[in-house]
Amino acid sequence: MITTCAEYNQHLEKRLKSLDAYIPEYKDIPHDVIVQRTLSRKKPFNDSDRGYRDALLWETIIRKVANDSKDTILITNNHSDFAVGKDNASEILHEHLKEDLRSLKLPDKCVL
């Protein structure tokens, strides 16, 4: 049984390693990119300036994980910040996010 945060972190790291997964670093994601994103109200930000952590997650995905040779699957319950509408959340990435992929010369469908 896991009783502390440290034990949980160790358990999670061991499980990720067994799946050949990793947690990408985000400390070198440019802060000015995230500031520009909030000022222009681009997803995953919303009208109330909430979304910093989601934006950091998104920037990490597109800069460190996504590529044109494999699919990256974003699993989230936060359809309002990443998808177009609740009904199509599993299929349609928001247009702002597709624009980001295209600006990096990545296919729209490389992040699902």
Side-chain angles (χ1 to χ4, degrees):
M1 181 170 165
I2 298 172
T3 58
T4 67
C5 288
E7 288 174 342
Y8 178 74
N9 284 339
Q10 289 174 343
H11 172 76
L12 182 59
E13 287 175 14
K14 184 178 178 182
R15 181 68 177 134
L16 289 172
K17 187 174 181 178
S18 76
L19 296 170
D20 199 27
Y22 68 98
I23 299 173
E25 283 291 327
Y26 56 85
K27 61 185 171 190
D28 60 340
I29 300 297
H31 187 69
D32 60 326
V33 170
I34 295 176
V35 170
Q36 184 57 45
R37 183 171 217 98
T38 188
L39 294 174
S40 61
R41 300 280 195 251
K42 283 185 70 178
K43 292 288 187 182
F45 280 100
N46 61 30
D47 292 337
S48 65
D49 288 340
R50 294 186 63 209
Y52 184 86
R53 289 179 293 181
D54 290 334
L56 187 58
L57 171 66
W58 178 249
E59 290 294 332
T60 301
I61 289 170
I62 65 174
R63 293 170 184 273
K64 306 230 174 174
V65 179
N67 64 59
D68 58 1
S69 65
K70 64 179 181 179
D71 290 339
T72 298
I73 300 178
L74 173 61
I75 299 172
T76 180
N77 196 30
N78 188 354
H79 59 82
S80 64
D81 290 343
F82 292 101
V84 177
K86 186 175 183 177
D87 295 334
N88 296 322
S90 65
E91 298 176 15
I92 302 176
L93 198 61
H94 192 279
E95 186 60 33
H96 291 169
L97 307 177
K98 288 181 182 180
E99 288 170 9
D100 293 339
L101 294 171
R102 288 190 292 266
S103 74
L104 295 170
K105 308 241 185 299
L106 293 169
D108 288 3
K109 296 280 186 177
C110 75
V111 176
L112 307 169

